[in-house]
Amino acid sequence: EFRRVLFRSLRNSVVLLRGDRIEKIGTVDTLPIPSGYEKISTEGMTVLPGIWDMHLHLLYGGYPNGGQWQTRYRDQYEKEIMPATARQELLSGVTTVRDLGAPPEISLRLKKRIAAGEIPGPTVYASGPQIAHDSGKDQTFRLVVSGPADAKEKVGELAKMGVDYIKITDQETLTVAEIKAMVEEAHAHKLRVAAHARSLGEIRQGLAGGVDEFEHINLQESEYPADIMASLRERTATRPLLWTPTMGLQMRLGYLAENPEAVDDPSTELGFPPSVIADLRTAVAKWKPQVVPNAREITVRKFNQLRDAGATFLFGTDAGQTGNSHSQSMWQEMYTWVNELGMDPLLVIRRATYFAAQTMGAERESGSVSEGKYADVIAVRGDPTRHIEVLRDPAIVIKRGQRYK
């Protein structure tokens, strides 16, 4: 369905913004700029919609030990950490995100503050906590369920709080009955359910429970076995199966192990308090990436298996880990899709803009540079359809009509 979308480029374009909307689109020959409009030159640039990242974690700041990070900084999530990572995302050209794992009250308050214009950041779709059977002492963003009735009740409570998605994890510890109860309750509230796919057991349980989406591609086996592939094909023959593979970091760890300087970009620290920056620098200097042999080959093989099975891919980065900072993860993930998987850059961009908005039911308001839609617009020097890495540092970032860069 992706290739049936009509693509159109416009040379020497003029885009008029009024308030938070795109008012008119034309060219320098067909659309004179009325008096009273601020003129922003995009000579030598490509203008495109703001990017959607469909999987990230705003509570993480690139610290190598996630448990230590949560223990040390959980009290700073709301006032310092998440506002900083949200700002980093926005300045990188990401104007909309799905935050799939955070304390619900904090995440939803952040969403409202950004929407109200109190702090800079992308539009947030929030899942609240990851739902599982157990929670380690350092897991500040997990919600424990026990039995189908409890699972159903807690999903209902999250829906009433205003979450936009339901996220479950460690499905091997959940029963199929519990997963089905969560899926049914989520669907009753018109919410989808995403689940981890970091093991074959998680995939099997998730498929049996009827989840709507999987996250990640695991590296434990060289390929998906026959029973998984048969189940995937059976599922996609009856209804869509979304999959956010988040491949960039695992395919880049070998490079980072040999080139650790790549994680020291100052943009990764933007907005953090000095004490947090000092702690980050000390921890990252000691970081030793856990490189899986043949990670690239395994990832490519499994991605192609999923594509052959009919999975529908979403663009997401899993930003927040070391080497996958909020300021850099978007362009690095896109680079992976284009240069490691050989995908058409324009199709990747559309997957990360219009199709993402369509998935969230927001395509009438966002996802493309179109008259009447929200003015979520970025501009980059050069042509990302030929050199996707020009997305690394957008020259202009406008969200809902307000310029942030």
Side-chain angles (χ1 to χ4, degrees):
E1 80 289 349
F2 191 42
R3 290 185 179 273
R4 291 199 294 268
V5 176
L6 177 64
F7 303 133
R8 185 166 73 100
S9 61
L10 192 63
R11 189 175 181 182
N12 294 325
S13 61
V14 174
V15 181
L16 298 185
L17 310 181
R18 180 180 289 273
D20 62 356
R21 300 280 175 169
I22 298 171
E23 183 182 17
K24 290 183 181 180
I25 298 174
T27 68
V28 293
D29 296 325
T30 64
L31 182 58
I33 301 175
S35 61
Y37 282 70
E38 177 189 358
K39 296 180 182 179
I40 301 174
S41 173
T42 56
E43 291 293 335
M45 301 183 195
T46 300
V47 176
L48 62 157
I51 305 299
W52 287 54
D53 189 334
M54 297 291 274
H55 184 127
L56 52 64
H57 300 281
L58 291 173
L59 62 79
Y60 281 131
Y63 198 83
N65 187 310
Q68 287 184 2
W69 176 264
Q70 292 183 65
T71 299
R72 295 178 184 182
Y73 298 115
R74 65 183 64 184
D75 294 335
Q76 294 172 250
Y77 286 165
E78 185 166 10
K79 292 185 178 180
E80 295 175 313
I81 302 300
M82 294 174 75
T85 57
R87 183 183 173 199
Q88 290 178 20
E89 286 287 339
L90 182 60
L91 295 181
S92 78
V94 176
T95 56
T96 308
V97 301
R98 271 193 333 184
D99 190 0
L100 295 183
E105 298 87 356
I106 292 175
S107 184
L108 291 171
R109 283 196 293 265
L110 178 79
K111 171 183 176 176
K112 291 178 180 178
R113 291 180 67 198
I114 292 173
E118 296 178 17
I119 57 174
T123 299
V124 176
Y125 289 88
S127 73
Q130 298 181 12
I131 304 174
H133 243 323
D134 54 49
S135 176
K137 63 180 181 179
D138 295 326
Q139 299 296 317
T140 59
F141 57 88
R142 286 203 177 193
L143 179 64
V144 177
V145 299
S146 180
D150 184 50
K152 177 180 179 179
E153 180 180 355
K154 286 179 177 173
V155 168
E157 291 172 355
L158 288 174
K160 291 177 182 177
M161 291 178 67
V163 301
D164 304 292
Y165 232 78
I166 297 297
K167 171 75 179 295
I168 66 175
T169 189
D170 293 344
Q171 294 93 261
E172 290 169 293
T173 68
L174 293 162
T175 67
V176 172
E178 288 169 331
I179 297 172
K180 285 184 176 179
M182 287 189 278
V183 171
E184 290 172 2
E185 182 67 12
H187 288 180
H189 292 276
K190 302 187 184 307
L191 300 176
R192 290 194 183 102
V193 178
H196 265 182
R198 291 205 180 276
S199 72
L200 300 183
E202 286 189 326
I203 297 172
R204 292 185 178 109
Q205 287 291 90
L207 287 170
V211 302
D212 302 290
E213 179 184 337
F214 283 110
E215 312 299 305
H216 315 304
I217 289 179
N218 74 305
L219 297 174
Q220 295 172 0
E221 309 82 17
S222 61
E223 62 182 15
Y224 293 119
D227 72 297
I228 293 282
M229 295 302 296
S231 296
L232 291 173
R233 290 190 177 97
E234 181 180 357
R235 164 59 184 276
T236 58
T238 57
R239 67 185 179 98
L241 178 64
L242 302 172
W243 206 297
T244 309
T246 67
M247 302 168 288
L249 180 59
Q250 66 192 41
M251 295 179 73
R252 200 167 62 250
L253 278 179
Y255 170 80
L256 293 176
E258 299 295 328
N259 300 273
E261 184 67 21
V263 303
D264 291 337
D265 192 302
S267 66
T268 66
E269 302 171 346
L270 183 67
F272 289 141
S275 59
V276 174
I277 293 173
D279 191 14
L280 271 170
R281 289 179 178 177
T282 299
V284 170
K286 300 176 182 178
W287 177 58
K288 301 295 183 183
Q290 300 299 309
V291 180
V292 176
N294 301 318
R296 180 189 180 279
E297 291 79 5
I298 294 171
T299 303
V300 171
R301 185 179 301 120
K302 287 187 170 182
F303 179 85
N304 287 329
Q305 282 186 290
L306 294 173
R307 179 159 51 185
D308 291 343
T312 300
F313 294 115
L314 299 175
F315 177 84
T317 68
D318 202 19
Q321 303 176 63
T322 308
N324 202 35
S325 69
H326 291 278
S327 65
Q328 299 291 317
S329 61
M330 178 269 284
W331 81 266
Q332 291 174 150
E333 185 76 21
M334 283 200 171
Y335 184 92
T336 296
W337 286 49
V338 172
N339 292 296
E340 298 287 352
L341 297 167
M343 297 184 70
D344 184 317
L346 184 56
L347 296 181
V348 174
I349 292 169
R350 292 288 288 186
R351 183 66 50 173
T353 54
Y354 181 81
F355 186 78
Q358 187 180 56
T359 298
M360 299 306 296
E363 73 275 14
R364 293 177 180 270
E365 300 283 349
S366 186
S368 63
V369 180
S370 304
E371 292 180 359
K373 290 191 178 185
Y374 283 123
D376 293 347
V377 181
I378 67 174
V380 296
R381 294 181 178 88
D383 182 357
T385 67
R386 291 181 61 83
H387 305 285
I388 196 70
E389 57 269 31
V390 301
L391 287 166
R392 178 177 186 140
D393 185 21
I396 296 170
V397 176
I398 295 172
K399 184 212 163 191
R400 301 289 171 95
Q402 181 174 345
R403 185 174 180 180
Y404 291 91
K405 188 177 181 182

